[in-house]
Amino acid sequence: MAEAELEVRALTARYGAVTALDTVSLRARPGEITAVLGANGAGKTTLLRAVSGLVRGSDGSVLLGGRELAGAPAERIARAGVAHVPEGRGVITELTVEENLRLGELLGTTRRKRRRVHRLDGVYEMFPALGQRRRREANSLSGGERQMLVIGRALLSEPEVLLLDEPSLGLAPRVVAQIFTLIRELVDREGLTVLLVEQNARSALSIADTGFVLNLGRVVANDSAAALAADAELRHSYLGF
Ligand code: ATP
């Protein structure tokens, strides 16, 4: 198993009587974008939260490079190299762009020489709009810039695995295309492992390598992104395009 391969085995998560994830198994490889698709309530967000240790009382296995992370505290999972970018962005609006980014660095383990993309200047290179606004309050950023900021902040924590929850939410199609292109370039260049949760299945499949479709907490399909996008029945039943 490659160092940064993420493997989830029979992951089950409940909120009281609701089983939000039911024995979900999947694999995400380094240098690939793995899309997790499905309608509202399918369990996508819960999957990311369970991987990053934010859902209590889940069962099953979460392996990073063969190392078991399930049951570990969220902070240890983050330090092991899993960065979670939650839905709804989470920038700290009273801080400047650069102060927000520095928060990401605090989590970095400095376990080795930082890759360029994991340094502040690397993030500004990738997202020039952030460099131009580095001294401004995050409050003043557009939705797309905020999304860039939280991705940049996650990169500064030196992750092996990036968990992205609905990065397209609330953004104009042109901005979604721009952010997805940047994510694709990042993965190709840095060999990160990306798990991309999206309701915007068409856009997600256009940049993903493989995908998993969830319905009511279960995996109902798993194939290459191209094969999923070409499956008319699947698109109609679960992907909404
Ligand atoms: P969305 O795209 O709407 O966020 P999702 O695919 O991410 O959907 P989840 O948010 O993971 O789905 O929700 C899966 C199921 O778990 C749903 O039935 C939801 O109502 C339920 N659920 C999620 N969070 C909680 C919670 N904190 N307490 C109780 N039930 C929850």
Side-chain angles (χ1 to χ4, degrees):
M1 187 186 266
E3 197 193 331
E5 182 165 300
L6 180 74
E7 191 184 349
V8 168
R9 290 189 193 151
L11 197 59
T12 296
R14 298 177 195 86
Y15 299 107
V18 178
T19 300
L21 280 186
D22 189 358
T23 58
V24 166
S25 295
L26 59 80
R27 190 186 287 266
R29 295 188 173 83
E32 292 191 1
I33 298 174
T34 302
V36 178
L37 310 169
N40 275 321
K44 306 181 298 298
T45 294
T46 302
L47 171 67
L48 296 193
R49 290 174 56 80
V51 167
S52 54
L54 298 173
V55 180
R56 292 283 114 220
S58 50
D59 296 323
S61 212
V62 176
L63 300 162
L64 178 60
R67 265 176 62 207
E68 184 62 77
L69 296 181
E75 195 247 341
R76 220 183 86 214
I77 295 175
R79 285 193 189 278
V82 177
H84 187 164
V85 180
E87 194 177 351
R89 323 231 204 280
V91 302
I92 301 178
T93 50
E94 297 80 9
L95 298 182
T96 65
V97 166
E98 189 146 312
E99 286 164 347
N100 267 279
L101 290 171
R102 295 262 182 222
L103 288 177
E105 275 182 332
L106 289 178
L107 243 190
T109 56
T110 63
R111 62 192 151 209
R112 59 176 175 266
K113 202 163 174 281
R114 282 178 179 263
R115 292 191 242 181
R116 181 155 184 78
V117 67
H118 297 161
R119 299 197 324 242
L120 207 52
D121 53 351
V123 168
Y124 289 147
E125 211 168 275
M126 183 179 172
F127 302 118
L130 296 183
Q132 289 154 17
R133 293 164 177 76
R134 65 174 79 184
R135 313 241 174 273
R136 288 215 210 144
E137 278 189 10
N139 217 357
S140 66
L141 299 184
S142 70
E145 289 158 358
R146 287 179 192 216
Q147 189 60 57
M148 293 173 196
L149 179 56
V150 287
I151 293 172
R153 189 171 65 192
L155 291 173
L156 288 172
S157 74
E158 295 187 87
E160 303 288 346
V161 177
L162 202 52
L163 308 176
L164 297 175
D165 199 349
E166 304 258 7
S168 78
L169 196 74
L171 302 181
R174 184 181 47 81
V175 182
V176 173
Q178 187 193 2
I179 284 177
F180 278 15
T181 302
L182 287 166
I183 294 170
R184 183 72 249 180
E185 287 170 4
L186 175 71
V187 170
D188 290 343
R189 213 161 9 114
E190 304 293 329
L192 283 179
T193 303
V194 170
L195 209 51
L196 171 67
V197 158
E198 266 296 337
Q199 281 210 45
N200 188 341
R202 187 203 294 267
S203 296
L205 288 174
S206 73
I207 60 155
D209 299 282
T210 60
F212 289 80
V213 181
L214 296 184
N215 185 51
L216 300 174
R218 285 176 170 267
V219 174
V220 293
N222 160 31
D223 212 329
S224 70
L228 292 175
D231 186 330
E233 170 66 27
L234 195 74
R235 285 200 329 245
H236 175 73
S237 302
Y238 300 110
L239 303 181
F241 75 95

